[in-house]
Amino acid sequence: ESEHEALMFYEEALLCDESYVDAHYGKGRSYYNLEQWSDAIECYDRTLKCFSSSSDNVKGIQIGSDTLEVKAFYFKGVCLGYSEKYTDQIKWYADFIQKFPKSDHCKDAWMGTAWAQNSIKKYADALDSCKIAFKILKKRKVTRKPDTGSLNKEEKKLLKLDMKELKSDLEFLYQERGSAFAGLEQYDDAIKDYKKLRPTKDWTWPLYRIIHCLGQLGRTKEQKEYRKKLADLEDDDPMSP
């Protein structure tokens, strides 16, 4: 309900000023949160149009470390992916990376590109994209190792959130690189990446993928072991007596 209320607010703001860039972007984010991808894309396009036709002072608007223009450009790419327009997404992210090479979202764009490439079975290209994203993450791991004893409470909280994001990014890349290896029938390498993922009762996908790859390699004994792990995980009911 709050997103629909926000949309009404942005509509009213745009009735007063059609070039109000914050309202176009905010409207896009509301549609994004509602998973109305085509509407979100339209709003992000209007946001970007404001920048292309406005004075330089509009481009100073910031959200975190990125400008509003960068955010709109990036999230349009995300929406293209959710709309299953993978080829368009790949091209859009390539433009994004070239236009905003210093953005923190470049890493996310490479990750999204790998996902899109896997989705259209361009597995070799997906491996290349994963390689670049891993390289960016490696730099982050090296540069973000402060002495935690010198941090205040708020800084430690931010560091914890940062490390959580880093872990999530690594898991995503292991998943996508594993899928690319499997698509190229490099099953041993795929298994190595899938084993780095942590399956849960609600997410058994890594075990299914390992079982599939082991089957392709004819390693039936190991496959049987992982089938048992899968069965144990799926039968694990904390409410059972």
Side-chain angles (χ1 to χ4, degrees):
E1 185 178 346
S2 59
E3 294 296 347
H4 292 289
E5 290 175 353
L7 284 171
M8 291 177 62
F9 170 80
Y10 294 130
E11 289 284 3
E12 290 176 2
L14 289 168
L15 286 174
C16 298
D17 183 0
E18 289 185 2
S19 64
Y20 189 12
V21 65
D22 297 71
H24 284 301
Y25 178 80
K27 191 176 173 184
R29 288 297 292 168
S30 290
Y31 279 129
Y32 178 94
N33 292 333
L34 291 168
E35 298 184 6
Q36 296 179 216
W37 311 122
S38 59
D39 290 325
I41 288 171
E42 183 179 346
C43 292
Y44 290 139
D45 279 336
R46 288 178 178 173
T47 303
L48 295 171
K49 186 177 180 180
C50 288
F51 284 101
S52 65
S53 61
S54 65
S55 58
D56 290 339
N57 65 330
V58 177
K59 300 186 180 183
I61 298 172
Q62 296 275 144
I63 296 183
S65 61
D66 280 326
T67 65
L68 207 68
E69 181 184 22
V70 174
K71 292 286 188 181
F73 209 111
Y74 169 72
F75 281 107
K76 177 183 173 178
V78 177
C79 293
L80 287 170
Y82 284 135
S83 302
E84 299 184 2
K85 297 177 179 179
Y86 301 119
T87 301
D88 290 341
Q89 184 186 31
I90 291 167
K91 292 178 180 177
W92 188 257
Y93 276 153
D95 288 343
F96 174 86
I97 291 163
Q98 184 177 17
K99 188 175 178 66
F100 308 108
K102 295 183 179 181
S103 169
D104 287 342
H105 278 305
C106 278
K107 172 261 302 176
D108 302 310
W110 281 114
M111 290 166 61
T113 297
W115 174 62
Q117 289 164 334
N118 273 333
S119 298
I120 58 175
K121 300 182 179 181
K122 290 192 173 183
Y123 301 120
D125 291 341
L127 278 182
D128 289 339
S129 297
C130 285
K131 184 177 180 180
I132 295 170
F134 268 118
K135 188 175 180 180
I136 296 172
L137 284 179
K138 186 176 180 180
K139 287 182 180 179
R140 284 185 61 192
K141 288 175 72 175
V142 171
T143 57
R144 301 193 183 188
K145 285 186 176 180
D147 176 12
T148 55
S150 65
L151 302 179
N152 60 38
K153 186 176 180 180
E154 186 62 27
E155 289 171 333
K156 287 181 179 179
K157 183 179 179 181
L158 291 173
L159 177 61
K160 186 176 181 180
L161 290 172
D162 189 58
M163 295 308 294
K164 185 177 180 180
E165 179 187 346
L166 180 61
K167 181 182 177 182
S168 176
D169 288 344
L170 286 171
E171 289 177 345
F172 180 90
L173 282 173
Y174 288 135
Q175 177 179 326
E176 293 307 315
R177 190 173 68 176
S179 295
F181 278 135
L184 294 170
E185 299 183 3
Q186 298 177 25
Y187 298 115
D188 281 312
D189 290 323
I191 290 170
K192 289 178 184 177
D193 275 344
Y194 291 145
K195 284 183 176 180
K196 293 173 183 175
L197 301 172
R198 181 174 295 180
T200 65
K201 182 177 175 63
D202 297 322
W203 191 58
T204 54
W205 183 87
L207 293 178
Y208 276 106
R209 296 304 299 160
I210 291 171
I211 290 167
H212 168 75
C213 292
L214 289 171
Q216 295 298 313
L217 294 169
R219 289 155 57 177
T220 54
K221 185 177 179 180
E222 291 175 75
Q223 192 180 41
K224 185 177 180 180
E225 292 173 0
Y226 274 91
R227 287 189 189 281
K228 186 178 184 306
K229 288 182 180 181
L230 176 62
D232 290 343
L233 187 62
E234 290 181 332
D235 292 340
D236 181 24
D237 185 356
M239 300 301 292
S240 62

